[in-house]
Amino acid sequence: SQLGYSGQHATLLAWLDRLPTHALTPALWRLRAQVLQDRGQLDEALIALDRAARGTDEDRMMAQVLRAQILQQQGQLDRAAELIVPHLEDEQLPAVWRARVLRLEGVIQAHTGDYEEARQRLQQALALIQETGELFDNARINQDLGVVERLAGVLDRAEQYYRAADAYWKELDVVTYRCVTLNNLGMVLLERGRLQEAQQQLTTALSLAQQHNVLHAQILIHASLGDVAVASGALAEAGTSYTAAYDSAMQYGYTNIAHYAVAGIAHSARLRGDHTALIAVLDQLEAANPHTPTEQAWIDGARAGAYWALGLPGALEAVDAALAVVPGEEANDRAYLLLLRAQLL
C-alpha cells in the first residue's frame, strides 16, 4: 500500500491489473478501491468494494466502512452514517477498524454541526490508535480533529492539529493525504489573515497533487486558491481557480465541491461587477438542489442585485423571494436585502 500512499497510483494499478481477477483477494480489492478513490474514480472504487465484500464477515465490514468513506467524501452524510452506525459498538472488530469507524462517525458529526460529539468520537479513535502504534491512522485522526476545530472556529487549535498531521505524513511519505492536510492548513491560515502563508501552503499542495495525480486534492486546492485570490482582490484569478475546481468536480462526481466552486464563481463575478456572468452562474447554482434557506436567500439576493444593475425586470420579485426564506438569525443578510428592496421601490 506504500505505493498508493506515496502517490504512485498508476504503478500500483498496473501491478494489480497484471493479476488475474480470480487471484485478487478481498484485501487486494480493498487496496484497489482505495487507490481509485484517491485518484477520484469513485464509481470504479465502489465496484471494487463490491468485490472486496465477497469474503468473510470482517471483509464485508471493512468494505462497508470504505464505502461509507466515499459517500461521506461525496457529501452523502446520511447514507454514510447508515453504513457505520451498526459497527459503532462492535467490540469484536480489530482495534484499528474500530478506530476507523469512530473516526468516520466523528467526521460525519462535525459536518452536521455537532462539534462536541465529533471531538469525543475522534478522541476515542485517537486513544485506540495510539495503543496500536499505527502512525497512518494517527495522522488521519489529527487531520480530522483539525477539521472539527476549524468548523468550530477554534483556529489556533486547528492549525496545531493540521501541522501535527503534516509531520506524520512527511515521516511516512504519504503524499495523497498530505496534499489534503496542506490544503486545510492553507485555509486556516487564510481565515487567520495570513494570506502569504496560505498561498505558500496551497501552492506546495497543488504542486504535490499534480505531480502525483491526486485528483481529489487538486479539486479541493483549486477551490481554496479561489478563496485566497478573492481575499487578495485578484478576482479574475479567483474565477479561473473556481472554474478549474468546478469542471473537475463535476467530471469526477464530487458534487459537494462542485456546489462550493460554482458559488465561488458567482461571488467573484459579483465582486467584479460582471452581472451577466453572475446571472448565468446563478442559474447553474439554482439547478443544483437542495439548498439551505441561507443559500437560497443568497442566490435570490444576488439575482436581485444583478437584475437591478442590468435594468432587467424581476429584481423586486427576487429580493422578496430572498426575504421570504432568509433565516431570522441572519440579521446582516436580512438588513442587506431590506436595503436593496428600498432601493428598488
Side-chain angles (χ1 to χ4, degrees), residues 206-226:
L206 184 60
S207 176
L208 282 171
Q210 290 174 334
Q211 180 182 350
H212 296 283
N213 198 31
V214 188
L215 296 176
H216 175 251
Q218 289 180 50
I219 297 167
L220 277 175
I221 297 161
H222 278 302
S224 298
L225 284 168

mmCIF file with all atom_site columns, all heavy atoms in Angstrom, residues 206-226:
data_model
loop_
_atom_site.group_PDB
_atom_site.id
_atom_site.type_symbol
_atom_site.label_atom_id
_atom_site.label_alt_id
_atom_site.label_comp_id
_atom_site.label_asym_id
_atom_site.label_entity_id
_atom_site.label_seq_id
_atom_site.pdbx_PDB_ins_code
_atom_site.Cartn_x
_atom_site.Cartn_y
_atom_site.Cartn_z
_atom_site.occupancy
_atom_site.B_iso_or_equiv
_atom_site.pdbx_formal_charge
_atom_site.auth_seq_id
_atom_site.auth_comp_id
_atom_site.auth_asym_id
_atom_site.auth_atom_id
_atom_site.pdbx_PDB_model_num
ATOM 1   N N   . LEU A 1 206 ? -0.738  21.995 -4.250  1.00 0.00 ? 206 LEU A N   1
ATOM 2   C CA  . LEU A 1 206 ? -1.151  21.774 -5.637  1.00 0.00 ? 206 LEU A CA  1
ATOM 3   C C   . LEU A 1 206 ? -0.025  21.142 -6.449  1.00 0.00 ? 206 LEU A C   1
ATOM 4   O O   . LEU A 1 206 ? -0.266  20.248 -7.270  1.00 0.00 ? 206 LEU A O   1
ATOM 5   C CB  . LEU A 1 206 ? -1.589  23.093 -6.276  1.00 0.00 ? 206 LEU A CB  1
ATOM 6   C CG  . LEU A 1 206 ? -2.135  22.996 -7.701  1.00 0.00 ? 206 LEU A CG  1
ATOM 7   C CD1 . LEU A 1 206 ? -3.362  22.088 -7.756  1.00 0.00 ? 206 LEU A CD1 1
ATOM 8   C CD2 . LEU A 1 206 ? -2.479  24.377 -8.258  1.00 0.00 ? 206 LEU A CD2 1
ATOM 9   N N   . SER A 1 207 ? 1.206   21.586 -6.202  1.00 0.00 ? 207 SER A N   1
ATOM 10  C CA  . SER A 1 207 ? 2.343   21.009 -6.915  1.00 0.00 ? 207 SER A CA  1
ATOM 11  C C   . SER A 1 207 ? 2.460   19.511 -6.620  1.00 0.00 ? 207 SER A C   1
ATOM 12  O O   . SER A 1 207 ? 2.643   18.699 -7.540  1.00 0.00 ? 207 SER A O   1
ATOM 13  C CB  . SER A 1 207 ? 3.624   21.735 -6.507  1.00 0.00 ? 207 SER A CB  1
ATOM 14  O OG  . SER A 1 207 ? 4.749   21.133 -7.123  1.00 0.00 ? 207 SER A OG  1
ATOM 15  N N   . LEU A 1 208 ? 2.322   19.133 -5.356  1.00 0.00 ? 208 LEU A N   1
ATOM 16  C CA  . LEU A 1 208 ? 2.382   17.718 -4.986  1.00 0.00 ? 208 LEU A CA  1
ATOM 17  C C   . LEU A 1 208 ? 1.236   16.927 -5.615  1.00 0.00 ? 208 LEU A C   1
ATOM 18  O O   . LEU A 1 208 ? 1.428   15.828 -6.142  1.00 0.00 ? 208 LEU A O   1
ATOM 19  C CB  . LEU A 1 208 ? 2.319   17.577 -3.460  1.00 0.00 ? 208 LEU A CB  1
ATOM 20  C CG  . LEU A 1 208 ? 3.596   17.853 -2.668  1.00 0.00 ? 208 LEU A CG  1
ATOM 21  C CD1 . LEU A 1 208 ? 3.283   17.882 -1.176  1.00 0.00 ? 208 LEU A CD1 1
ATOM 22  C CD2 . LEU A 1 208 ? 4.650   16.796 -2.967  1.00 0.00 ? 208 LEU A CD2 1
ATOM 23  N N   . ALA A 1 209 ? 0.029   17.503 -5.548  1.00 0.00 ? 209 ALA A N   1
ATOM 24  C CA  . ALA A 1 209 ? -1.148  16.805 -6.078  1.00 0.00 ? 209 ALA A CA  1
ATOM 25  C C   . ALA A 1 209 ? -1.039  16.598 -7.580  1.00 0.00 ? 209 ALA A C   1
ATOM 26  O O   . ALA A 1 209 ? -1.433  15.550 -8.112  1.00 0.00 ? 209 ALA A O   1
ATOM 27  C CB  . ALA A 1 209 ? -2.416  17.588 -5.733  1.00 0.00 ? 209 ALA A CB  1
ATOM 28  N N   . GLN A 1 210 ? -0.529  17.602 -8.302  1.00 0.00 ? 210 GLN A N   1
ATOM 29  C CA  . GLN A 1 210 ? -0.372  17.468 -9.753  1.00 0.00 ? 210 GLN A CA  1
ATOM 30  C C   . GLN A 1 210 ? 0.749   16.494 -10.091 1.00 0.00 ? 210 GLN A C   1
ATOM 31  O O   . GLN A 1 210 ? 0.619   15.685 -11.015 1.00 0.00 ? 210 GLN A O   1
ATOM 32  C CB  . GLN A 1 210 ? -0.109  18.841 -10.363 1.00 0.00 ? 210 GLN A CB  1
ATOM 33  C CG  . GLN A 1 210 ? -1.323  19.755 -10.311 1.00 0.00 ? 210 GLN A CG  1
ATOM 34  C CD  . GLN A 1 210 ? -1.024  21.166 -10.784 1.00 0.00 ? 210 GLN A CD  1
ATOM 35  O OE1 . GLN A 1 210 ? 0.118   21.641 -10.704 1.00 0.00 ? 210 GLN A OE1 1
ATOM 36  N NE2 . GLN A 1 210 ? -2.042  21.859 -11.269 1.00 0.00 ? 210 GLN A NE2 1
ATOM 37  N N   . GLN A 1 211 ? 1.847   16.555 -9.338  1.00 0.00 ? 211 GLN A N   1
ATOM 38  C CA  . GLN A 1 211 ? 2.982   15.677 -9.596  1.00 0.00 ? 211 GLN A CA  1
ATOM 39  C C   . GLN A 1 211 ? 2.599   14.210 -9.434  1.00 0.00 ? 211 GLN A C   1
ATOM 40  O O   . GLN A 1 211 ? 3.057   13.344 -10.187 1.00 0.00 ? 211 GLN A O   1
ATOM 41  C CB  . GLN A 1 211 ? 4.128   16.029 -8.641  1.00 0.00 ? 211 GLN A CB  1
ATOM 42  C CG  . GLN A 1 211 ? 5.370   15.167 -8.812  1.00 0.00 ? 211 GLN A CG  1
ATOM 43  C CD  . GLN A 1 211 ? 6.455   15.542 -7.800  1.00 0.00 ? 211 GLN A CD  1
ATOM 44  O OE1 . GLN A 1 211 ? 6.345   16.552 -7.101  1.00 0.00 ? 211 GLN A OE1 1
ATOM 45  N NE2 . GLN A 1 211 ? 7.489   14.718 -7.730  1.00 0.00 ? 211 GLN A NE2 1
ATOM 46  N N   . HIS A 1 212 ? 1.719   13.930 -8.458  1.00 0.00 ? 212 HIS A N   1
ATOM 47  C CA  . HIS A 1 212 ? 1.354   12.544 -8.147  1.00 0.00 ? 212 HIS A CA  1
ATOM 48  C C   . HIS A 1 212 ? -0.070  12.200 -8.586  1.00 0.00 ? 212 HIS A C   1
ATOM 49  O O   . HIS A 1 212 ? -0.580  11.140 -8.235  1.00 0.00 ? 212 HIS A O   1
ATOM 50  C CB  . HIS A 1 212 ? 1.522   12.292 -6.654  1.00 0.00 ? 212 HIS A CB  1
ATOM 51  C CG  . HIS A 1 212 ? 2.941   12.421 -6.184  1.00 0.00 ? 212 HIS A CG  1
ATOM 52  N ND1 . HIS A 1 212 ? 3.877   11.444 -6.390  1.00 0.00 ? 212 HIS A ND1 1
ATOM 53  C CD2 . HIS A 1 212 ? 3.584   13.431 -5.551  1.00 0.00 ? 212 HIS A CD2 1
ATOM 54  C CE1 . HIS A 1 212 ? 5.042   11.837 -5.888  1.00 0.00 ? 212 HIS A CE1 1
ATOM 55  N NE2 . HIS A 1 212 ? 4.894   13.033 -5.366  1.00 0.00 ? 212 HIS A NE2 1
ATOM 56  N N   . ASN A 1 213 ? -0.698  13.102 -9.339  1.00 0.00 ? 213 ASN A N   1
ATOM 57  C CA  . ASN A 1 213 ? -2.020  12.852 -9.911  1.00 0.00 ? 213 ASN A CA  1
ATOM 58  C C   . ASN A 1 213 ? -3.072  12.526 -8.840  1.00 0.00 ? 213 ASN A C   1
ATOM 59  O O   . ASN A 1 213 ? -3.867  11.600 -8.980  1.00 0.00 ? 213 ASN A O   1
ATOM 60  C CB  . ASN A 1 213 ? -1.954  11.705 -10.932 1.00 0.00 ? 213 ASN A CB  1
ATOM 61  C CG  . ASN A 1 213 ? -3.172  11.698 -11.857 1.00 0.00 ? 213 ASN A CG  1
ATOM 62  O OD1 . ASN A 1 213 ? -3.741  12.756 -12.145 1.00 0.00 ? 213 ASN A OD1 1
ATOM 63  N ND2 . ASN A 1 213 ? -3.582  10.533 -12.314 1.00 0.00 ? 213 ASN A ND2 1
ATOM 64  N N   . VAL A 1 214 ? -3.082  13.314 -7.773  1.00 0.00 ? 214 VAL A N   1
ATOM 65  C CA  . VAL A 1 214 ? -4.065  13.155 -6.705  1.00 0.00 ? 214 VAL A CA  1
ATOM 66  C C   . VAL A 1 214 ? -5.253  14.061 -7.041  1.00 0.00 ? 214 VAL A C   1
ATOM 67  O O   . VAL A 1 214 ? -5.294  15.237 -6.677  1.00 0.00 ? 214 VAL A O   1
ATOM 68  C CB  . VAL A 1 214 ? -3.473  13.499 -5.329  1.00 0.00 ? 214 VAL A CB  1
ATOM 69  C CG1 . VAL A 1 214 ? -4.461  13.143 -4.213  1.00 0.00 ? 214 VAL A CG1 1
ATOM 70  C CG2 . VAL A 1 214 ? -2.155  12.759 -5.112  1.00 0.00 ? 214 VAL A CG2 1
ATOM 71  N N   . LEU A 1 215 ? -6.229  13.496 -7.766  1.00 0.00 ? 215 LEU A N   1
ATOM 72  C CA  . LEU A 1 215 ? -7.274  14.317 -8.368  1.00 0.00 ? 215 LEU A CA  1
ATOM 73  C C   . LEU A 1 215 ? -8.163  15.007 -7.336  1.00 0.00 ? 215 LEU A C   1
ATOM 74  O O   . LEU A 1 215 ? -8.483  16.194 -7.470  1.00 0.00 ? 215 LEU A O   1
ATOM 75  C CB  . LEU A 1 215 ? -8.127  13.461 -9.304  1.00 0.00 ? 215 LEU A CB  1
ATOM 76  C CG  . LEU A 1 215 ? -7.385  12.898 -10.519 1.00 0.00 ? 215 LEU A CG  1
ATOM 77  C CD1 . LEU A 1 215 ? -8.304  11.980 -11.321 1.00 0.00 ? 215 LEU A CD1 1
ATOM 78  C CD2 . LEU A 1 215 ? -6.869  14.020 -11.403 1.00 0.00 ? 215 LEU A CD2 1
ATOM 79  N N   . HIS A 1 216 ? -8.601  14.264 -6.333  1.00 0.00 ? 216 HIS A N   1
ATOM 80  C CA  . HIS A 1 216 ? -9.486  14.863 -5.339  1.00 0.00 ? 216 HIS A CA  1
ATOM 81  C C   . HIS A 1 216 ? -8.826  16.065 -4.674  1.00 0.00 ? 216 HIS A C   1
ATOM 82  O O   . HIS A 1 216 ? -9.454  17.116 -4.477  1.00 0.00 ? 216 HIS A O   1
ATOM 83  C CB  . HIS A 1 216 ? -9.872  13.821 -4.287  1.00 0.00 ? 216 HIS A CB  1
ATOM 84  C CG  . HIS A 1 216 ? -10.689 14.363 -3.165  1.00 0.00 ? 216 HIS A CG  1
ATOM 85  N ND1 . HIS A 1 216 ? -10.201 14.514 -1.899  1.00 0.00 ? 216 HIS A ND1 1
ATOM 86  C CD2 . HIS A 1 216 ? -11.969 14.820 -3.127  1.00 0.00 ? 216 HIS A CD2 1
ATOM 87  C CE1 . HIS A 1 216 ? -11.133 15.038 -1.126  1.00 0.00 ? 216 HIS A CE1 1
ATOM 88  N NE2 . HIS A 1 216 ? -12.218 15.223 -1.837  1.00 0.00 ? 216 HIS A NE2 1
ATOM 89  N N   . ALA A 1 217 ? -7.545  15.934 -4.336  1.00 0.00 ? 217 ALA A N   1
ATOM 90  C CA  . ALA A 1 217 ? -6.834  17.042 -3.706  1.00 0.00 ? 217 ALA A CA  1
ATOM 91  C C   . ALA A 1 217 ? -6.704  18.225 -4.655  1.00 0.00 ? 217 ALA A C   1
ATOM 92  O O   . ALA A 1 217 ? -6.853  19.382 -4.248  1.00 0.00 ? 217 ALA A O   1
ATOM 93  C CB  . ALA A 1 217 ? -5.458  16.581 -3.241  1.00 0.00 ? 217 ALA A CB  1
ATOM 94  N N   . GLN A 1 218 ? -6.434  17.954 -5.939  1.00 0.00 ? 218 GLN A N   1
ATOM 95  C CA  . GLN A 1 218 ? -6.333  19.051 -6.899  1.00 0.00 ? 218 GLN A CA  1
ATOM 96  C C   . GLN A 1 218 ? -7.613  19.880 -6.935  1.00 0.00 ? 218 GLN A C   1
ATOM 97  O O   . GLN A 1 218 ? -7.582  21.110 -6.991  1.00 0.00 ? 218 GLN A O   1
ATOM 98  C CB  . GLN A 1 218 ? -6.036  18.494 -8.293  1.00 0.00 ? 218 GLN A CB  1
ATOM 99  C CG  . GLN A 1 218 ? -4.636  17.937 -8.468  1.00 0.00 ? 218 GLN A CG  1
ATOM 100 C CD  . GLN A 1 218 ? -4.405  17.413 -9.870  1.00 0.00 ? 218 GLN A CD  1
ATOM 101 O OE1 . GLN A 1 218 ? -4.670  18.096 -10.848 1.00 0.00 ? 218 GLN A OE1 1
ATOM 102 N NE2 . GLN A 1 218 ? -3.915  16.181 -9.978  1.00 0.00 ? 218 GLN A NE2 1
ATOM 103 N N   . ILE A 1 219 ? -8.759  19.194 -6.907  1.00 0.00 ? 219 ILE A N   1
ATOM 104 C CA  . ILE A 1 219 ? -10.047 19.891 -6.955  1.00 0.00 ? 219 ILE A CA  1
ATOM 105 C C   . ILE A 1 219 ? -10.212 20.787 -5.730  1.00 0.00 ? 219 ILE A C   1
ATOM 106 O O   . ILE A 1 219 ? -10.568 21.968 -5.835  1.00 0.00 ? 219 ILE A O   1
ATOM 107 C CB  . ILE A 1 219 ? -11.195 18.868 -7.053  1.00 0.00 ? 219 ILE A CB  1
ATOM 108 C CG1 . ILE A 1 219 ? -11.083 18.082 -8.360  1.00 0.00 ? 219 ILE A CG1 1
ATOM 109 C CG2 . ILE A 1 219 ? -12.552 19.561 -6.970  1.00 0.00 ? 219 ILE A CG2 1
ATOM 110 C CD1 . ILE A 1 219 ? -11.978 16.851 -8.411  1.00 0.00 ? 219 ILE A CD1 1
ATOM 111 N N   . LEU A 1 220 ? -9.949  20.222 -4.552  1.00 0.00 ? 220 LEU A N   1
ATOM 112 C CA  . LEU A 1 220 ? -10.045 20.998 -3.312  1.00 0.00 ? 220 LEU A CA  1
ATOM 113 C C   . LEU A 1 220 ? -9.124  22.217 -3.347  1.00 0.00 ? 220 LEU A C   1
ATOM 114 O O   . LEU A 1 220 ? -9.532  23.329 -2.972  1.00 0.00 ? 220 LEU A O   1
ATOM 115 C CB  . LEU A 1 220 ? -9.640  20.118 -2.124  1.00 0.00 ? 220 LEU A CB  1
ATOM 116 C CG  . LEU A 1 220 ? -10.669 19.190 -1.498  1.00 0.00 ? 220 LEU A CG  1
ATOM 117 C CD1 . LEU A 1 220 ? -9.983  18.346 -0.430  1.00 0.00 ? 220 LEU A CD1 1
ATOM 118 C CD2 . LEU A 1 220 ? -11.819 19.969 -0.898  1.00 0.00 ? 220 LEU A CD2 1
ATOM 119 N N   . ILE A 1 221 ? -7.899  21.999 -3.786  1.00 0.00 ? 221 ILE A N   1
ATOM 120 C CA  . ILE A 1 221 ? -6.898  23.071 -3.734  1.00 0.00 ? 221 ILE A CA  1
ATOM 121 C C   . ILE A 1 221 ? -7.242  24.188 -4.708  1.00 0.00 ? 221 ILE A C   1
ATOM 122 O O   . ILE A 1 221 ? -7.068  25.376 -4.396  1.00 0.00 ? 221 ILE A O   1
ATOM 123 C CB  . ILE A 1 221 ? -5.492  22.498 -3.995  1.00 0.00 ? 221 ILE A CB  1
ATOM 124 C CG1 . ILE A 1 221 ? -5.121  21.504 -2.889  1.00 0.00 ? 221 ILE A CG1 1
ATOM 125 C CG2 . ILE A 1 221 ? -4.453  23.615 -4.069  1.00 0.00 ? 221 ILE A CG2 1
ATOM 126 C CD1 . ILE A 1 221 ? -3.986  20.559 -3.261  1.00 0.00 ? 221 ILE A CD1 1
ATOM 127 N N   . HIS A 1 222 ? -7.747  23.859 -5.894  1.00 0.00 ? 222 HIS A N   1
ATOM 128 C CA  . HIS A 1 222 ? -8.172  24.906 -6.827  1.00 0.00 ? 222 HIS A CA  1
ATOM 129 C C   . HIS A 1 222 ? -9.259  25.779 -6.195  1.00 0.00 ? 222 HIS A C   1
ATOM 130 O O   . HIS A 1 222 ? -9.228  27.017 -6.319  1.00 0.00 ? 222 HIS A O   1
ATOM 131 C CB  . HIS A 1 222 ? -8.683  24.290 -8.125  1.00 0.00 ? 222 HIS A CB  1
ATOM 132 C CG  . HIS A 1 222 ? -7.599  23.916 -9.097  1.00 0.00 ? 222 HIS A CG  1
ATOM 133 N ND1 . HIS A 1 222 ? -6.682  24.832 -9.585  1.00 0.00 ? 222 HIS A ND1 1
ATOM 134 C CD2 . HIS A 1 222 ? -7.283  22.727 -9.679  1.00 0.00 ? 222 HIS A CD2 1
ATOM 135 C CE1 . HIS A 1 222 ? -5.858  24.232 -10.418 1.00 0.00 ? 222 HIS A CE1 1
ATOM 136 N NE2 . HIS A 1 222 ? -6.186  22.963 -10.485 1.00 0.00 ? 222 HIS A NE2 1
ATOM 137 N N   . ALA A 1 223 ? -10.219 25.149 -5.507  1.00 0.00 ? 223 ALA A N   1
ATOM 138 C CA  . ALA A 1 223 ? -11.274 25.923 -4.847  1.00 0.00 ? 223 ALA A CA  1
ATOM 139 C C   . ALA A 1 223 ? -10.681 26.810 -3.749  1.00 0.00 ? 223 ALA A C   1
ATOM 140 O O   . ALA A 1 223 ? -11.072 27.974 -3.592  1.00 0.00 ? 223 ALA A O   1
ATOM 141 C CB  . ALA A 1 223 ? -12.334 24.989 -4.273  1.00 0.00 ? 223 ALA A CB  1
ATOM 142 N N   . SER A 1 224 ? -9.735  26.270 -2.998  1.00 0.00 ? 224 SER A N   1
ATOM 143 C CA  . SER A 1 224 ? -9.106  27.038 -1.925  1.00 0.00 ? 224 SER A CA  1
ATOM 144 C C   . SER A 1 224 ? -8.291  28.206 -2.478  1.00 0.00 ? 224 SER A C   1
ATOM 145 O O   . SER A 1 224 ? -8.295  29.308 -1.910  1.00 0.00 ? 224 SER A O   1
ATOM 146 C CB  . SER A 1 224 ? -8.216  26.129 -1.086  1.00 0.00 ? 224 SER A CB  1
ATOM 147 O OG  . SER A 1 224 ? -8.976  25.104 -0.480  1.00 0.00 ? 224 SER A OG  1
ATOM 148 N N   . LEU A 1 225 ? -7.591  27.973 -3.579  1.00 0.00 ? 225 LEU A N   1
ATOM 149 C CA  . LEU A 1 225 ? -6.852  29.065 -4.208  1.00 0.00 ? 225 LEU A CA  1
ATOM 150 C C   . LEU A 1 225 ? -7.797  30.159 -4.687  1.00 0.00 ? 225 LEU A C   1
ATOM 151 O O   . LEU A 1 225 ? -7.442  31.349 -4.677  1.00 0.00 ? 225 LEU A O   1
ATOM 152 C CB  . LEU A 1 225 ? -6.017  28.526 -5.373  1.00 0.00 ? 225 LEU A CB  1
ATOM 153 C CG  . LEU A 1 225 ? -4.752  27.766 -4.978  1.00 0.00 ? 225 LEU A CG  1
ATOM 154 C CD1 . LEU A 1 225 ? -4.158  27.024 -6.170  1.00 0.00 ? 225 LEU A CD1 1
ATOM 155 C CD2 . LEU A 1 225 ? -3.710  28.725 -4.387  1.00 0.00 ? 225 LEU A CD2 1
ATOM 156 N N   . GLY A 1 226 ? -9.008  29.772 -5.088  1.00 0.00 ? 226 GLY A N   1
ATOM 157 C CA  . GLY A 1 226 ? -10.014 30.776 -5.420  1.00 0.00 ? 226 GLY A CA  1
ATOM 158 C C   . GLY A 1 226 ? -10.352 31.637 -4.222  1.00 0.00 ? 226 GLY A C   1
ATOM 159 O O   . GLY A 1 226 ? -10.463 32.871 -4.331  1.00 0.00 ? 226 GLY A O   1
#
